Amino acid sequence: MTKLRSHLRSLLPRAPGAAAQPLLVREYEELARARLPQDVRDFIRGGSGTESTLTANRAALDRIRLRPRVLTDVSNCDLRTTLLGSDVSLPLGIAPMAYHRLAHPEGEVATARAAGQAGVPLVVSIFASRTFEDIAEAATGPLWLQLYWLRRKDLLTRLVSRAQDAGFRALVLTVDAPRVGRRLRDVRGGFTLPEHVRAVNVDPSIMAASHRGAPGVSAIERHSREQFDPSATWADVARLRELSPLPLVLKGILTPQDARLAVDVGADAVIVSNHGGRQLDGAVASVDALPGIAAVVAGRCQVLVDGGITHGTDVLKVLALGADAALIGRPVLWALAHAGARGVADVLGLIGGELEEAMALCGRPLISDIDQSLADIPGGSAR
């Protein structure tokens, strides 16, 4: 794993005269600025309301300190683990994000190529801008399909069937979005999907509102109010559980009560998530919600977390607080915009290298060595 970064870079050709390699994941956002129009940058970057939850995700991670142990043999750190039955190279995955072609012409195909080379799962959005089949052909790592609970249940059934046939290995139901939250950057800019970027796996008639622009209106928000089913309950999750033999993941869990219900309904994993600060403004930061959820789940299903992850030490922190893996989102799109598949590979390599270094410096050579005694949470006591 110490050679992960250099290995990933070697897999994809670099253009002659390419700029110096970024040393931090957060540097990719600035590099992407020149390649993306303002409305697309705002769509990717923005959160809902005052963006207080967007800010809280990062601040909560920064508050956590690490308590390293010393004089431990760390000559061979091993980042490998298992997620939903698949062996992965490190406890990391790519969170579901729609319309990767907003960032790069190859879209999700480029992202899948890089994820597979890094040996991490890619969660493909129901609103992917490349077909499931094209993404699967490019992938060499696990693919999971993310779903919203649409009014059209026949469409959901067909999408699940297509994903199974294409070799996807899990279903991820987003449960925190009965509608899309009000994202003021999109409202001010009247964000509308351009004609060349489409949710190609979904019937065009269902997606029409996403392409109808109007001043002071987010087409994405309007589309969600038309097509998302706000009446969904735990009974609907149980029906989805019966629809497919694939492992089922519920994304958007922020309370121990809902985590317990997720286990009871047969979820194979939960993703502790506030949707990257894009749904309820004022929601608890994901990492703050994590310990209570991990305690309630108590190993009965796997626990993943997203929200503000930009460094290998962030991954180490969430593992110490009870997560089995972390998911990253926006940095992938910034890197995709900057350098396509190579950019995504570099981001995954950076985080993997940082995680390996942090594990060595903390005296935790194996994923199984990481426990709550490593994390110092403000207001809490040392464990």
Side-chain angles (χ1 to χ4, degrees):
M1 282 303 304
T2 57
K3 299 180 180 178
L4 177 63
R5 231 176 303 172
S6 59
H7 171 64
L8 289 175
R9 290 172 186 162
S10 70
L11 293 171
L12 298 166
R14 186 178 298 281
Q21 184 64 32
L23 298 180
L24 291 170
V25 166
R26 63 172 177 257
E27 294 173 4
Y28 280 92
E29 181 174 358
E30 184 60 32
L31 291 171
R33 288 179 61 86
R35 298 179 179 271
L36 297 175
Q38 182 67 47
D39 64 334
V40 172
R41 296 201 304 270
D42 284 343
F43 174 67
I44 296 172
R45 179 70 181 87
S48 61
T50 64
E51 299 187 344
S52 66
T53 299
L54 176 65
T55 303
N57 277 338
R58 185 62 249 168
L61 283 162
D62 287 337
R63 285 196 302 269
I64 299 168
R65 301 286 91 185
L66 296 169
R67 293 179 175 272
R69 296 296 301 274
V70 298
L71 295 176
T72 300
D73 183 355
V74 293
S75 57
N76 183 25
C77 293
D78 189 348
L79 278 61
R80 292 173 296 178
T81 190
T82 302
L83 295 176
L84 298 181
S86 295
D87 294 332
V88 296
S89 297
L90 63 157
L92 185 69
I94 297 177
M97 296 173 289
Y99 312 116
H100 288 210
R101 288 196 67 212
L102 285 171
H104 189 276
E106 282 195 298
E108 290 82 0
V109 165
T111 309
R113 191 181 307 128
Q117 290 162 345
V120 301
L122 165 64
V123 189
V124 177
S125 170
I126 184 176
F127 300 134
S129 51
R130 297 294 302 268
T131 68
F132 297 157
E133 293 77 13
D134 285 347
I135 298 168
E137 185 176 358
T140 55
L143 296 177
W144 304 347
L145 174 62
Q146 177 266 342
L147 298 167
Y148 289 106
W149 196 250
L150 302 179
R151 298 178 189 273
R152 286 276 305 276
K153 304 308 181 290
D154 60 319
L155 172 61
L156 286 174
T157 300
R158 290 198 300 272
L159 290 173
V160 169
S161 178
R162 276 183 61 192
Q164 289 181 197
D165 290 345
F168 283 54
R169 303 186 195 179
L171 301 177
V172 179
L173 179 64
T174 296
V175 294
D176 64 353
R179 66 177 72 165
V180 163
R182 194 162 189 259
R183 303 165 190 169
L184 301 188
R185 299 188 195 215
D186 295 348
V187 172
R188 291 190 184 100
F191 182 76
T192 307
L193 283 176
E195 283 300 312
H196 72 282
V197 177
R198 293 187 169 270
V200 296
N201 297 290
V202 182
D203 188 317
S205 64
I206 292 176
M207 301 307 302
S210 297
H211 297 272
R212 292 198 304 265
V217 175
S218 164
I220 300 297
E221 180 186 349
R222 179 174 58 192
H223 168 261
S224 76
R225 290 175 181 264
E226 289 183 7
Q227 301 299 336
F228 291 11
D229 185 352
S231 70
T233 67
W234 289 101
D236 294 300
V237 177
R239 282 190 280 273
L240 180 60
R241 169 76 283 176
E242 295 171 357
L243 181 63
S244 169
L246 294 177
L248 177 62
V249 183
L250 300 187
K251 178 181 183 291
I253 302 296
L254 285 177
T255 65
Q257 297 93 324
D258 283 342
R260 186 179 293 111
L261 289 170
V263 171
D264 291 344
V265 83
D268 298 279
V270 296
I271 301 175
V272 181
S273 172
N274 55 38
H275 217 104
R278 292 163 74 82
Q279 283 298 98
L280 174 64
D281 189 34
V284 61
S286 297
V287 73
D288 287 339
L290 173 60
I293 290 172
V296 163
V297 167
R300 291 178 292 167
C301 74
Q302 292 197 294
V303 177
L304 293 82
V305 63
D306 68 14
I309 306 291
T310 60
H311 196 276
T313 53
D314 297 333
V315 180
L316 185 58
K317 290 173 182 179
V318 300
L319 295 180
L321 294 179
D324 294 287
L327 300 178
I328 59 168
R330 292 177 178 91
V332 168
L333 294 183
W334 301 133
L336 187 64
H338 171 62
R342 170 170 288 282
V344 177
D346 283 342
V347 158
L348 297 173
L350 272 172
I351 294 179
E354 292 161 352
L355 175 60
E356 191 273 343
E357 178 182 70
M359 287 171 61
L361 295 178
C362 284
R364 305 311 206 272
L366 304 177
I367 297 298
S368 58
D369 294 327
I370 302 169
D371 59 23
Q372 289 186 350
S373 67
L374 179 58
D376 184 10
I377 305 173
S381 58
R383 297 175 176 84

